[in-house]
Each structure stands twice: as structure tokens, then as C-alpha cells.
Amino acid sequence: MTEPPRQRRRPAVSCSLCRSRKIRCDRQLPCSNCVRTRNESCVYASQASPVQRIRPGQATDVLNQQPQAHTIHLDRVPNAHQPPAYHNHQSDFLVNSPSIISTVSNHSAEVEALKSKIKQLEEQLSRATQPHTHSPLSSSKSDIETSTSRITNRLHVQYENNSGRPAAITRGIMNKTRLLGQSYWMSGLATLLRELFQTLEPYFLQDTSKIFQGFHRCKALARVIKAKRTPKWPTPPSLDLPPKDLADKLVDCYFQTTETIYPIMHLPSFQIEYDALWAPNREPRMAFVVQLKLIFAIGATTYDKQFSLRPLAFQWVYEAQTWLAEPDLKSRLTIQSLQTSLLLLIAREATGIGPTLTSIPAGELLRAAVTMGLHRDPKHLPHTTVLAAETRRRLWNTIIEVNLQSSLTSGTAPMLTLDDFDTEPPGNFTDEQLLMADPEPTPETNLTRISIPRALRKTFPLRLTIARFLNDLTSPGTYEETLRLDTQLRASYKVLCQTLQSYTPSPPKFALRATDTLTQRYFSSLHLPYFSLSLHEAPYAFSRKVSLETALKIWRSTYQSSPSSQFTRFLTSGGGLFRTTTIQALTIIATELRFQLQEENQSLDPVPLRPDLVRVLEEAKAWTLECMESGETNTKGYLLTHGLVAQVQGLMRGVTEEDMHGYLVRTIEESIETCLGILEERACEGQSGLVTPSNVTPELVEDGFDFDFLVSN
């Protein structure tokens, strides 16, 4: 009996050329051997026709051909212009082809491999043929408007292309050498203030006008006052301290204010060294003395309403700056040096010494902390005590918070992401518990010195996202994304309020108002870019409502609650985020009232104004006067505020458009006279004689009216 022909137990998986040459085939389409030998066709046993290699010149012709039932066309040319959609259709046709399925029905592994290979080639072709994707910054259309005046110097404002809209969205401002992002307090208000600047501009140019002479006399007096209170540089630190009773009050002022939201010091450890400082025959450490003087400087801002210790506060800040400026950086990589650097940043904002430029040293402080490993949680580091571990967590928490706030103030992108650290929030321990060997955390509802910073830390990821959304170069900046972030921020703010209300005992008022103002600033920063546009277009009405209500909440927290409160004194005497946030709120309220009154002139019925908004105008004038009386030398903020209020009050009194110009000028002249009286009195303290008009020279006004004019010089 004749045996039947022997059959292969498994199908051939190599191509015909490799099988005939008995060489290893990599089973590609076409295989590497066919590519190397330039074989025009690579044929497999399961195919009725060969797989053709496509040359670059043939790519377009192949794409235009109709797919055959038993042929797989593979494009291996990177620049072939083949639509991915067509490729997907072709793949579905081939994979589901009856011929192929019937051929390999018993070999499911080969079918899956074929599907996987086709999908891989489709992805490669899609990546090769899709057009180059530009970043949002390079693809977005924007216009840059440049204006030059005595008031603003050369100012470049970048607008989003408004496409014929009555108002545009401000994306950034270039003033002098600084590039300011959307979170900068003036970014969304530059267009709205242009009318006021244009009205006052001629009077800052006429040498014979009262505004010109009075304003530049104020500049001369301000320079005399600043020269008296500013120490020489460098200022080596000394062991001189104020009397013990005054020092105790300043320390109490510090621990009742900024330490409640920016924890830096361990109170028991501080108290031991502080008490030893006053002992007879003491030998104090200079590092601790520098820390203590910075605490004095911060406490001095709320010590009294007039900030009578401002010259001493300047002295203490300059001494600390000199101490940290030594070139030996290695000796400064200590926990105590980080504490001193943090205190210096807060003291500069509190006293108004360059408060809008603290983002630069804040970035340096962040890098120093990373170098020391504070960005890693202590559980990933060598074992240490509870006090040391929690001190590192508290310092890192304060460092990232200060960096985020300085980013929002200066309009720069935060130099930090959530992937850059894994340090956990500080535990809810009292300072006394940290001295124990193995303490148990205090229940969440029990208030400790670290409770409010822990509550703020829960909102940190979202606030960091908002700061990046506003200031990053690659941010999409769409209104839809703004509304999405607003929704998330409202949910986060609700949880934050519930947490603060659950504490027993109740948190200090300073901490509550500071926390609320910090959070409200993010609402304002999100919607302020659309505020000008919302005055003309209904789709952005929500931003108008949020901007106004947020501004009113901020004003209530900072002034209306109690003009003599510690928080009000803190922002009246200094600068930084709290000061600029308050000024931003005043500007929004005044602009809203002015627009409502202008709309009333175009309607038959009068528009009722909200009494709470109107009341803010008089309070704003009183607050800016308090700023001048507390030692402020920069009159520009006072003049601008009174100019904005004058526009609104003129419209309320029915002043015609023709008479508004003169009304505004008279208001500014009266404001300058008030400033002159305050500055002359302060300049004469401790000396005889006044600064005469002969002291006024053209050089005094070369610095112009920059966008830091509402914070201390």
C-alpha cells in the first residue's frame, strides 16, 4: 500500500526567498534579507501575491490604487502623504478578508501577529505624515501695542488678536526690563487705565502746571526721606538690640501674624535661645541675632499704626541681607540659614523693600533647599528625630508656598512641578510634641500652629496649576479652561472653609483673613484677563461677576473688617501680594462703577448703584492716606486711586464729559497738595529747613511712572 504524501506539521512562516536559501527570516514585510539583497518582492506562503517594496517616487501612485483582496501594500517611506483614515480602512479590509481568514483559520497566532504588525506600521506612517504641531505660544495670534509717555515710560502690552472685538485680552506686559505675565496685578487692567493716563499726561509735561511742580517736589522729598531711613550698603550685622520690653512685643507681633501661615520657627527652641540672649555675660551667636532682627522687622509692621519703627526695620533687613551675601555658600547650607532666608523674604515684603522682585531670591532659596534634600520626604533619608523630620517638612512647605506666591505676584511661571518633590505635608503636631520620642499627631479638628498651613497645602496642587495656566509660555489660555479651573477652585475653597470652621479653638483672625485673601486672589487672577472684554460681550459676563464679587470680598477682608487690625496694618505698611491684591480690588470696583454710570448716560432710566460698592470709594481714599501717613514715600498710588475715584464721583454728580477733564485735574492737584504736606513734615523730622524747589532736577523723574507705582519704593 502506497503511503500518502508527507505533510508539514506547521505552516511555513519564512518568505519564499529565505526558505529556498535556507536562511533565517525575521518575518517582516518585507523581510530584512529581501531589503538587503534588493529583492523586489517578498512572498509568503499565505499570500497569493508578493508584498511590493515601495520606492519614494511610487508612494503617491500606490496610495491612489484600489486595494486588492489578497495584497497588502506597505508604505515604508517616512514622507509619504497618506491620510491615516484611508490606511485604517485598508487595514480593516485586509484583516477581515475572507481569503486571509480562510488561509490562517487554524493559526490564530499568525493572525494576531499580522494585526499587530499592521497597527504598528499604521502608527509609524501616521507620525511621519501628520503636520508639525506648534506650541500654543507660537501658533496663537497676538498683537503687541507699544506706548510711550511720561507716566508709563515705554510700555509693551501683548494682546490676544481681538478680531474686531471692542476689547482685547491682555496676555502679558513688558515694562522696562521686566516681562510680566497674566497674574501680575496690572495685566488685565492696563487698557482700562489708559484713559486716565491719557488725561493726565499733558500735565506731567508742562513745567508750569501745578501737577508737574507738585509731583516732582514730592519726588525730591521722597528721596530725602529714603536717604535718611536707608542704611549704607553693605551693613554688617551688629549685636545691638532694642530694649527687652520692646523686643518682647515685636516677637509677639511676629508669632501672631506671618508665622501663622508661613511656619518657620520652632517656638520652644526659639524661646530657649531668646531667653538666654538677655542673660548676664551672654555670648550670643550672630546667626541667631540676625534671625531675631528679621523677626523684629516683621513684627514692627504691626506694632503700631504709623509703622514708627520703619527706619530700624530697614536697618535690620539690610544687616540680614549683608550676612547672607557672604560668598561662602557651603557654610550657608544649614537649616538655620534656610530659616533666615525665608524670614528675609517675608521681611522684605512686609517692609516694602523690593516686594515685587522677591521671586528671584525665592528661586535661589528653592534650589538651596533641593540641594539639602528637603524635596525628599525624611522617610526616604537616613533616620533622624521627629523634631528634625518635621522641621524639614515645615520648611519645605513654607518654601514652596512662598515660591508660589512670589510667582503670582511677579507674573512669572513657578519654577516647580508636583513631580519635583515627594515631601509629605507636615504632621499636625504641637511644638511641644516634637520634643517627644514618638508622639501621636493631634486630631485634625484640634487647632495647632501648623493646622492652617496644612489646610492650605491641600489646595496647593490646584493653585500651582492655575499659576502655570496664567504664566506658562505653553499654556492654552482658553476661556473653557478658565471655567474648568474656576469650578475646581470653588470646590477646593468650599472644603477649605469647612476645614477652617471645624477647628477648636477658632484660628487667629490674621490667619483667617490672610488665607481668604490668598485664595480669592486666584479667583481674581483667573477672570481678570476677561474683565475688560466682559464689559462689552455677554458670553464673558460670568468673569465680570466673579471679578467684582471677588474684589469686594478682598476689600472686606483687608479694610472693612477693622482698619486698625493687624492684617490691615500689615498690608498698609508693606507691599507684596497682600498689598497688590488690595489695590487690584479697588481698581476693579472703581472701573465697574464707572462703566455702570457710563451705561446710564445711554439709557432712559437711571442705573441703581450698589451702596456697598460706592462706600468702597471713600474707604479707598482713607486707606491710601493711611499708607502715606505710615511712612509711604511713593505718591503715585495715592494719586492714581484718587484719580479713579474722581472719575466715578464726577459721573455720579452729573459732571459732563467736557467738564470731567477739569474736575479730574483739580482732584489730582488737591491730592498732590495733601501728599506734599505729609512728605514735608516727615522730611523735616530731625532737621531744620525744608527741601526747596531748587532741589528738583530733571534727573529726579527719569525713572518715570512704572508699574510698581502702587508699592513702596
Side-chain angles (χ1 to χ4, degrees):
M1 182 175 179
T2 305
E3 295 182 358
R6 185 177 179 180
Q7 297 182 352
R8 293 178 59 88
R9 295 181 180 179
R10 57 187 178 86
V13 293
S14 300
C15 70
S16 57
L17 178 64
C18 293
R19 283 200 301 122
S20 63
R21 295 183 178 181
K22 296 183 179 181
I23 58 178
R24 186 179 182 85
C25 181
D26 61 3
R27 306 176 189 177
Q28 300 295 318
L29 298 173
C31 70
S32 59
N33 296 322
C34 291
V35 172
R36 185 172 60 255
T37 59
R38 298 183 179 180
N39 182 34
E40 294 295 331
S41 59
C42 185
V43 182
Y44 288 84
S46 60
Q47 297 174 343
S49 58
V51 176
Q52 300 292 333
R53 292 180 65 242
I54 301 176
R55 297 187 179 92
Q58 298 175 330
T60 305
D61 298 335
V62 172
L63 295 175
N64 294 330
Q65 296 176 1
Q66 294 293 330
Q68 301 297 323
H70 306 293
T71 303
I72 302 177
H73 297 286
L74 298 174
D75 183 1
R76 298 182 62 85
V77 183
N79 60 353
H81 302 288
Q82 179 174 352
Y86 172 81
H87 215 8
N88 294 337
H89 174 76
Q90 181 183 12
S91 303
D92 293 341
F93 173 81
L94 292 172
V95 172
N96 296 303
S97 171
S99 301
I100 293 179
I101 295 177
S102 61
T103 303
V104 295
S105 58
N106 297 327
H107 311 287
S108 59
E110 283 77 2
V111 174
E112 294 300 324
L114 183 59
K115 288 182 178 181
S116 177
K117 186 60 184 178
I118 291 174
K119 183 178 180 180
Q120 179 184 357
L121 293 173
E122 287 176 351
E123 292 175 353
Q124 293 177 356
L125 182 61
S126 176
R127 288 193 298 267
T129 57
Q130 69 182 6
H132 177 68
T133 303
H134 297 276
S135 66
L137 179 68
S138 59
S139 60
S140 62
K141 296 182 179 179
S142 62
D143 297 324
I144 297 180
E145 178 181 293
T146 301
S147 61
T148 303
S149 70
R150 179 66 62 88
I151 298 180
T152 60
N153 280 334
R154 184 176 297 275
L155 187 67
H156 308 274
V157 183
Q158 181 186 9
Y159 296 104
E160 184 179 286
N161 196 311
N162 57 16
S163 303
R165 288 172 171 172
I169 301 173
T170 304
R171 293 300 183 191
I173 295 175
M174 183 73 181
N175 182 234
K176 293 188 176 179
T177 59
R178 297 174 58 192
L179 181 61
L180 310 165
Q182 282 189 300
S183 70
Y184 188 71
W185 76 272
M186 180 61 80
S187 182
L189 301 171
T191 304
L192 300 173
L193 294 175
R194 183 184 305 164
E195 178 184 342
L196 179 62
F197 291 151
Q198 291 175 346
T199 302
L200 298 176
E201 173 70 16
Y203 296 90
F204 281 90
L205 298 176
Q206 298 177 8
D207 295 352
T208 57
S209 69
K210 292 183 179 180
I211 292 181
F212 178 90
Q213 295 179 351
F215 176 71
H216 297 309
R217 181 173 173 78
C218 288
K219 295 280 289 186
L221 291 168
R223 293 202 172 192
V224 171
I225 297 170
K226 288 186 290 183
K228 291 171 55 179
R229 67 169 55 146
T230 304
K232 296 181 180 180
W233 177 261
T235 306
S238 67
L239 297 177
D240 297 334
L241 297 175
K244 178 69 162 54
D245 57 343
L246 176 59
D248 291 344
K249 294 178 181 178
L250 295 178
V251 169
D252 289 341
C253 288
Y254 165 76
F255 279 99
Q256 293 172 10
T257 53
T258 59
E259 181 73 19
T260 61
I261 54 174
Y262 300 132
I264 299 174
M265 308 301 295
H266 179 243
L267 185 55
S269 301
F270 169 82
Q271 195 67 45
I272 292 174
E273 193 157 7
Y274 178 74
D275 292 339
L277 191 65
W278 307 99
N281 301 322
R282 72 187 191 282
E283 293 183 2
R285 295 185 305 113
M286 183 58 71
F288 178 75
V289 172
V290 171
Q291 274 191 350
L292 183 59
K293 288 186 175 181
L294 287 172
I295 290 175
F296 290 161
I298 299 171
T301 59
T302 58
Y303 173 71
D304 58 9
K305 189 176 180 180
Q306 293 76 28
F307 196 6
S308 59
L309 299 177
R310 187 188 291 264
L312 272 178
F314 275 42
Q315 175 76 22
W316 294 328
V317 171
Y318 270 63
E319 287 184 13
Q321 188 73 66
T322 305
W323 170 258
L324 291 173
E326 293 183 2
D328 186 8
L329 297 179
K330 186 179 294 186
S331 63
R332 294 287 180 258
L333 293 180
T334 64
I335 293 297
Q336 190 171 39
S337 293
L338 291 182
Q339 291 174 325
T340 304
S341 298
L342 275 170
L343 289 171
L344 178 60
L345 287 176
I346 297 173
R348 286 183 54 182
E349 284 204 351
T351 57
I353 302 176
T356 58
L357 296 175
T358 55
S359 61
I360 300 174
E364 182 180 357
L365 174 61
L366 178 66
R367 300 310 305 169
V370 170
T371 301
M372 294 178 59
L374 266 70
H375 66 299
R376 299 306 312 273
D377 193 79
K379 66 183 180 183
H380 301 304
L381 302 176
H383 180 69
T384 185
T385 63
V386 176
L387 174 60
E390 286 301 314
T391 298
R392 293 173 68 90
R393 290 191 179 106
R394 290 184 180 188
L395 284 179
W396 178 255
N397 190 78
T398 301
I399 287 172
I400 61 176
E401 188 68 41
V402 167
N403 268 270
L404 181 58
Q405 305 309 340
S406 63
S407 167
L408 201 69
T409 302
S410 61
T412 57
M415 301 300 177
L416 185 74
T417 67
L418 296 178
D419 296 330
D420 294 333
F421 65 95
D422 59 10
T423 305
E424 296 178 356
N428 195 34
F429 296 99
T430 64
D431 285 358
E432 291 72 20
Q433 285 181 300
L434 298 182
L435 299 176
M436 302 177 183
D438 191 17
E440 290 292 332
T442 303
E444 288 296 324
T445 56
N446 289 10
L447 181 70
T448 65
R449 286 205 316 114
I450 205 67
S451 295
I452 291 180
R454 280 172 51 84
L456 271 175
R457 176 66 177 270
K458 295 177 182 179
T459 68
F460 181 83
L462 179 57
R463 291 185 289 122
L464 179 64
T465 301
I466 293 174
R468 286 197 168 277
F469 171 74
L470 293 170
N471 297 324
D472 252 1
L473 292 178
T474 57
S475 172
T478 61
Y479 193 58
E480 292 74 14
E481 183 69 9
T482 298
L483 297 179
R484 187 184 68 83
L485 291 173
D486 175 89
T487 301
Q488 295 181 5
L489 185 59
R490 289 183 183 281
S492 178
Y493 178 66
K494 181 179 180 180
V495 174
L496 176 63
C497 292
Q498 293 173 348
T499 302
L500 297 180
Q501 292 169 355
S502 67
Y503 289 142
T504 304
S506 299
K509 292 184 178 180
F510 181 95
L512 289 176
R513 289 167 186 161
T515 302
D516 191 53
T517 303
L518 286 175
T519 310
Q520 294 296 333
R521 174 63 187 269
Y522 288 87
F523 283 109
S524 180
S525 298
L526 269 177
H527 291 277
L528 191 59
Y530 302 95
F531 180 67
S532 178
L533 194 59
S534 67
L535 299 176
H536 305 278
E537 296 194 16
Y540 300 97
F542 181 68
S543 289
R544 179 180 178 180
K545 179 178 182 296
V546 173
S547 298
L548 181 61
E549 295 302 326
T550 301
L552 191 57
K553 289 179 181 178
I554 291 172
W555 179 251
R556 285 171 177 167
S557 295
T558 56
Y559 184 82
Q560 287 186 338
S561 55
S562 174
S564 60
S565 67
Q566 283 185 318
F567 187 57
T568 302
R569 289 182 182 180
F570 183 76
L571 64 93
T572 300
S573 302
L577 178 70
F578 296 113
R579 180 87 172 264
T580 57
T581 300
T582 305
I583 296 168
Q584 184 186 68
L586 295 177
T587 308
I588 292 173
I589 293 173
T591 303
E592 171 67 25
L593 288 174
R594 185 184 67 181
F595 187 79
Q596 289 184 17
L597 290 167
Q598 289 173 341
E599 282 186 325
E600 179 182 344
N601 295 333
Q602 302 173 3
S603 62
L604 297 178
D605 297 325
V607 178
L609 299 178
R610 290 174 49 176
D612 53 347
L613 298 181
V614 176
R615 188 167 59 250
V616 171
L617 300 180
E618 290 299 328
E619 293 171 343
K621 294 167 64 176
W623 177 67
T624 53
L625 180 61
E626 290 177 8
C627 292
M628 294 296 300
E629 291 175 343
S630 69
E632 178 63 79
T633 58
N634 194 337
T635 61
K636 301 168 187 175
Y638 182 87
L639 299 180
L640 178 66
T641 302
H642 281 246
L644 289 171
V645 173
Q647 286 183 320
V648 177
Q649 292 180 339
L651 292 172
M652 293 173 61
R653 296 171 182 175
V655 177
T656 62
E657 185 175 351
E658 295 77 12
D659 297 335
M660 179 63 73
H661 183 87
Y663 180 78
L664 180 60
V665 170
R666 288 193 300 272
T667 301
I668 297 298
E669 290 175 349
E670 294 173 359
S671 301
I672 288 179
E673 288 297 324
T674 302
C675 292
L676 273 174
I678 297 174
L679 294 176
E680 286 177 349
E681 180 181 355
R682 197 164 298 276
C684 292
E685 292 177 354
Q687 70 181 37
S688 59
L690 296 174
V691 179
T692 62
S694 60
N695 296 117
V696 182
T697 60
E699 289 77 10
L700 292 177
V701 295
E702 287 181 355
D703 55 341
F705 208 90
D706 60 31
F707 267 11
D708 283 337
F709 57 86
L710 293 184
V711 295
S712 299
N713 281 338

